[in-house]
C-alpha cells in the first residue's frame, strides 16, 4: 500500500486517523503501533515476524546496555548483537543472491539462487533501529523502558517504507508528550497534499517518458531522445521520492510528530557536495554520523580522509541496491566529491552559471548509472548519449511532455516558494489551491494505471 493510492487515501487513512484521534492520549502509541503493523502487513504479511523480531532485539539490547553501564564488555556485546542482527537481516535478504552470483562468476562453482523478496522498507528501518541502539550505547539517549512506545517508534507507518530515516533522538520527546492542535494538523494536510501532487501529477506523468524509452530499446533511440529521457527520469525520481517524503512528513505532523526535512531543492546546487547536502538529507546525515565521523571524518590526514570518503560512498551506493551499477554510482560521486574538495571548489564558487551546468550534467550521468542495472544496456545508453546520433524521434516526445518538463523545472526550484509564503495567510485562496491539487491527483489515480514508486525496491 502506497500513500498515493485510492486504497490509502479513502480507506486506510480515514479509518486509521479517526481511530487514532478518538483514542485517549495514553493509548495513542498502542493504536499507532497496531495501525502501523496493519499498514505494513497489508503489503507483505509474511515478513511481519521480522518486524516484530527487530523490535524485540533492539529493545532488549538497549535495556541490557542501560542496565550494565559499569560493565563495558556487556554493553559492547549487546551493541554487537544488535548490529549483527540488523545488518545480518539486511544482508541476507538484500545481498545474498548478489554475492552468490559474483562468487559463481569468479569461481565457476554453480550456486543455487534463493527465492527471496526484499522486505518492504528494510533498508530504512534497519538503519533507524540500529542508530537507536548505537545512541543508547554512546549515552546520547536513555534506553526506552516502555516497549509499546518503542514499538510505535520502529513501525511508525508514515516513514516505515521509504523514510525519512527518523532517529529516536528526533522524536523521543514526542513519543511521550505531543500536541495535535488544528494548526499543526492543517500544516500536515497541506504538506501531504503537496506531496501527493508532486508524486502523482509530476513524477508519474514525466516518468512515462523514461518508461517508453526503455520499451523502445536504447539501441533504437537518438542522442537527443536519450538526453531527454534521462532528464525525465531525473525529474521523476526527485518528485517521486521528495513527494513521498513530503507525504510522510505531513502524515507525521497530523499524528503530532515533526520529522526531519529530507529534500531542499537539490537541483539548484552549484556543486555535487552541495547536492548531497540537499538530497535525501536524512540518509546523508546517517552515514556522516554513524560511519564517516567514527572513522575519523575530517580530523585525519588527507589520504585517510579520502579512504573514509571511499568507504562512505561505496556503502551509500551498495545501500541502494545489490547490483554493481549502484556501487559504481556511489563511487562516481566519491571521485567527484574528492575532486571538488581538493581541486575545483573555489572555481565552482566563482563561476555561477558554469557550476549549475556542471552539476546538472553530472547528475544526468549519475542517474543513468543509477537506473540501468544491466551494465551491457548501460553501455549502449552511454553510447547513445555521446554518439551524437541524430534523429527526429525526440520531437514527438518533447511535444507530448514539454509542458510537464516546464512544470517540473519550475517546481524543482525555490522560485515559487516566496509567492506561496505570500499566499499562505489567505486561508480561502490557500484552501482552494490545495483542494484543486488533491482533486486533480485523485482524478489521475482513478483514471491512470501508471503509479510506480521507485524507492519501493530499496
Amino acid at each position: 500500500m502506497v500513500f498515493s493510492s485510492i486504497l490509502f487515501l479513502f480507506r486506510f487513512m480515514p479509518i486509521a486517523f479517526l481511530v487514532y484521534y478518538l483514542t485517549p492520549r495514553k493509548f495513542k502509541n498502542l493504536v499507532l503501533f497496531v495501525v502501523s503493523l496493519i499498514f505494513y502487513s497489508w503489503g507483505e504479511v509474511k515478513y511481519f515476524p521480522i518486524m516484530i523480531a527487530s523490535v524485540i532485539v533492539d529493545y532488549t539490547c538497549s535495556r541490557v546496555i542501560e542496565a550494565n553501564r559499569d560493565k563495558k564488555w556487556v554493553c559492547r556485546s549487546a551493541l554487537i548483537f544488535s548490529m549483527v542482527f540488523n545488518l545480518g537481516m539486511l544482508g541476507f535478504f538484500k545481498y545474498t543472491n548478489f554475492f552468490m552470483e559474483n562468487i559463481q562468476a569468479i569461481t565457476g562453482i554453480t550456486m543455487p539462487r534463493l527465492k527471496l523478496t526484499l522486505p518492504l522498507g528494510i533498508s530504512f528501518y534497519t538503519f533507524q533501529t540500529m542508530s537507536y541502539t548505537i545512541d543508547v550505547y554512546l549515552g546520547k539517549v536513555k534506553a526506552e523502558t516502555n516497549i509499546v512506545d518503542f514499538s510505535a517508534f520502529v513501525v511508525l507507518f508514515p516513514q516505515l517504507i521509504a523514510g525519512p530515516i527518523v532517529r529516536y533522538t528526533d522524536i523521543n520527546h514526542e513519543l511521550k508528550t505531543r500536541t495535535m492542535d488544528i494548526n499543526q494538523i492543517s500544516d500536515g494536510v497541506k504538506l501531504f497534499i503537496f506531496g501527493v501532487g508532486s508524486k502523482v501529477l509530476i513524477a508519474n506523468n514525466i516518468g512515462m517518458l523514461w518508461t517508453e524509452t526503455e520499451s523502445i530499446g536504447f539501441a533504437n533511440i537518438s542522442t537527443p531522445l536519450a538526453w531527454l529521457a534521462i532528464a525525465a527520469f531525473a525529474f521523476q525520481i526527485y518528485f517521486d521520492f521528495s513527494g513521498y517524503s513530503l507525504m510522510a512528513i505531513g502524515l507525521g505532523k497530523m499524528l503530532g510528530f515533526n520529522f526531519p526535512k529530507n529534500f531542499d531543492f537539490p537541483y539548484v546546487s552549484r556543486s555535487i557536495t552541495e547536492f548531497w547536502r540537499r538530497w535525501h538529507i536524512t540518509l546523508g546525515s546517517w552515514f556522516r554520523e554513524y560511519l564517516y565521523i567514527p572513522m575519523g571524518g575530517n580530523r585525519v590526514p588527507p589520504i585517510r580522509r579520502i579512504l573514509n570518503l571511499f568507504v562512505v560512498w561505496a556503502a551509500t551506493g551498495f545501500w541502494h541496491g545489490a547490483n554493481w551499477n549502484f556501487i559504481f554510482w556511489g563511487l562516481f560521486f566519491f571521485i567527484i566529491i574528492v575532486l571538488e574538495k581538493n581541486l575545483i571548489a573555489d572555481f565552482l564558487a566563482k563561476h555561477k552559471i558554469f557550476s549549475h551546468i556542471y552539476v546538472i550534467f553530472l547528475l544526468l550521468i549519475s542517474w543513468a548509472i543509477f537506473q540501468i542495472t544491466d551494465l551491457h544496456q548501460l553501455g549502449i545508453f552511454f553510447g547513445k548519449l555521446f554518439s551524437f546520433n541524430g534523429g527526429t524521434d525526440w520531437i514527438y516526445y518533447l511535444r507530448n511532455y514539454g509542458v510537464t518538463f516546464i512544470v517540473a523545472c519550475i517546481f524543482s526550484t525555490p522560485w515559487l516558494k516566496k509567492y506561496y509564503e505570500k499566499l499562505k495567510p489567505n486561508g480561502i485562496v490557500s484552501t482552494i489551491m490545495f483542494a484543486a491539487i488533491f482533486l486533480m491527483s485523485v482524478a489521475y489515480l482513478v483514471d491512470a494505471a501508471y503509479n510506480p514508486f521507485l524507492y519501493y525496491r530499496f
Side-chain angles (χ1 to χ4, degrees), residues 105-392:
I106 294 170
T107 65
I109 300 172
T110 301
M111 303 188 75
R113 303 295 182 268
L114 301 180
K115 294 182 179 179
L116 298 173
T117 55
L118 191 65
L120 293 177
I122 191 170
S123 297
F124 290 90
Y125 71 69
T126 295
F127 274 26
Q128 182 170 300
T129 56
M130 194 164 59
S131 67
Y132 162 76
T133 312
I134 295 171
D135 284 346
V136 171
Y137 176 80
L138 295 175
K140 294 182 178 180
V141 67
K142 292 280 188 181
E144 177 58 67
T145 57
N146 188 320
I147 194 169
V148 173
D149 292 351
F150 179 72
S151 301
F153 155 70
V154 175
V155 302
L156 195 57
F157 79 86
Q159 47 78 58
L160 177 61
I161 303 299
I165 299 175
V166 179
R167 291 179 285 184
Y168 182 75
T169 51
D170 293 326
I171 62 169
N172 59 322
H173 297 299
E174 291 167 348
L175 279 169
K176 301 296 183 183
T177 56
R178 56 186 179 273
T179 57
M180 288 167 290
D181 58 52
I182 191 64
N183 291 328
Q184 181 171 347
I185 294 173
S186 175
D187 288 342
V189 170
K190 290 175 182 177
L191 284 172
F192 180 81
I193 290 174
F194 194 73
V196 172
S198 296
K199 165 74 178 82
V200 172
L201 301 178
I202 303 179
N204 285 5
N205 276 296
I206 206 162
M208 287 189 288
L209 171 52
W210 173 258
T211 302
E212 288 183 50
T213 304
E214 284 185 311
S215 65
I216 293 170
F218 298 140
N220 303 316
I221 63 175
S222 67
T223 294
L225 180 54
W227 285 103
L228 198 65
I230 199 58
F233 177 76
F235 282 127
Q236 181 190 14
I237 195 169
Y238 170 60
F239 286 104
D240 188 271
F241 193 20
S242 67
Y244 207 88
S245 292
L246 280 175
M247 285 186 265
I249 294 169
L251 289 170
K253 279 188 174 293
M254 292 157 67
L255 294 169
F257 296 95
N258 290 290
F259 296 161
K261 180 191 291 188
N262 214 21
F263 289 86
D264 186 20
F265 300 105
Y267 288 159
V268 303
S269 302
R270 293 180 54 194
S271 69
I272 296 300
T273 303
E274 181 187 355
F275 171 81
W276 276 101
R277 288 198 295 265
R278 293 170 173 269
W279 177 278
H280 205 342
I281 297 169
T282 56
L283 178 67
S285 173
W286 198 97
F287 274 114
R288 182 172 59 254
E289 185 163 340
Y290 297 103
L291 187 58
Y292 185 65
I293 292 175
M295 289 192 301
N298 294 325
R299 306 182 308 276
V300 295
I303 297 298
R304 176 62 186 277
R305 189 183 312 142
I306 291 173
L307 177 62
N308 291 348
L309 287 170
F310 173 84
V311 172
V312 168
W313 285 104
T316 301
F318 207 34
W319 178 88
H320 279 83
N323 279 294
W324 280 105
N325 71 299
F326 292 113
I327 298 174
F328 295 148
W329 179 74
L331 296 180
F332 175 80
F333 284 118
F334 157 71
I335 293 170
I336 296 168
I337 288 173
V338 168
L339 289 173
E340 287 184 356
K341 288 181 178 295
N342 293 280
L343 293 175
I344 62 174
D346 291 339
F347 179 83
L348 293 175
K350 293 176 182 177
H351 298 83
K352 185 175 181 178
I353 295 176
F354 174 84
S355 62
H356 284 300
I357 296 171
Y358 152 89
V359 167
I360 295 302
F361 173 77
L362 290 178
L363 288 178
L364 293 180
I365 299 299
S366 77
W367 288 132
I369 300 171
F370 181 90
Q371 176 62 4
I372 305 172
T373 56
D374 185 316
L375 297 184
H376 175 67
Q377 289 297 315
L378 181 60
I380 293 174
F381 187 77
F382 272 118
K384 287 297 180 179
L385 285 178
F386 297 105
S387 66
F388 304 104
N389 177 27
T392 59

Side-chain angles (χ1 to χ4, degrees), residues 42 47 72 95 116 127 158 222 316 336 348 396 413 446 457:
W42 198 290
Y47 289 133
K72 290 294 183 184
Y95 302 109
L116 298 173
F127 274 26
S222 67
T316 301
I336 296 168
L348 293 175
Y396 167 80
T413 72
V446 169
R457 59 175 169 163

